[in-house]
Amino acid sequence: MFADYRTCPACRGLTQFGAECPPSIAPYPPYVSPVKLLFVGWNPPAPRGGFWSIDDDHRLANLHWIFRERGWSAATSPAAFREDFRCRGFYFVHAVKCFSRAQFPPGSNGTQLLRGCATAHLRTEIVALRPERICVLGRLPHRALKFCFGRVATRARYLEGASADVAVEGTQTPV
């Protein structure tokens, strides 16, 4: 569905801020429509992108545990969970695809990297996926969402599990 990020021309202009060019992330799998809930994480761990391609990815393990505890998935392996997750209308993307080190750069470099990658890809992904809801997994994805859609209406602090809305192509989408 989405392009192979390893051919992304935007990351060439972001190498001075720490971007990998080409990014090492593998292409995302096809999504199943409708996307009921889109999870937006930080940046993919090396090599090849974490959630969709590495069985011992922490985010994958945490979501798998939550889904099993809630009775939303009976999958017993990471591969089976990914497929169950995707086929039930859930999807996961990274806010920044071209940075795979654990410590995201602070200050101006991090801001330039986040703005450049999010505006090059994240906005397009969200518009194409048309999720019914978005779950940002931390401050970095929240900031990326703001770069993509301007002002993100906030009723309370996101990091406390609060909700708000973002206008995606004229449609108010709960975040």
Side-chain angles (χ1 to χ4, degrees), residues 27-162:
Y28 292 138
Y31 68 94
V32 174
S33 192
V35 173
K36 297 173 189 167
L37 179 59
L38 173 65
F39 291 91
V40 181
W42 300 13
N43 51 299
R48 305 212 20 94
F51 186 88
W52 292 112
S53 59
I54 299 174
D55 285 350
D56 65 350
D57 177 68
H58 293 294
R59 184 81 55 206
L60 173 69
N62 290 336
L63 285 174
H64 188 184
W65 180 84
I66 291 167
F67 275 56
R68 285 183 55 105
E69 287 293 308
R70 301 290 305 163
W72 298 340
S73 177
T76 57
S77 72
F81 173 67
R82 278 189 208 96
E83 188 61 12
D84 189 38
F85 180 85
R86 191 181 65 79
C87 289
R88 289 172 162 252
F90 298 98
Y91 206 72
F92 180 92
V93 296
H94 297 93
V96 179
K97 281 105 172 112
C98 61
F99 189 86
S100 62
R101 292 183 292 281
Q103 183 64 42
F104 199 76
S108 175
N109 283 355
T111 298
Q112 293 301 321
L113 189 57
L114 180 60
R115 178 184 292 123
C117 194
T119 57
H121 300 295
L122 185 61
R123 178 178 175 75
T124 304
E125 291 169 345
I126 292 172
V127 168
L129 292 167
R130 300 181 56 81
E132 293 173 10
R133 297 183 180 287
I134 299 171
C135 178
V136 292
L137 301 172
R139 187 171 308 203
L140 189 79
H142 176 250
R143 288 180 60 210
L145 204 61
K146 289 171 94 172
F147 283 129
C148 293
F149 297 102
R151 187 178 180 282
V152 178
T154 308
R155 288 191 285 274
R157 293 178 46 95
Y158 278 96
L159 298 178
E160 295 172 357

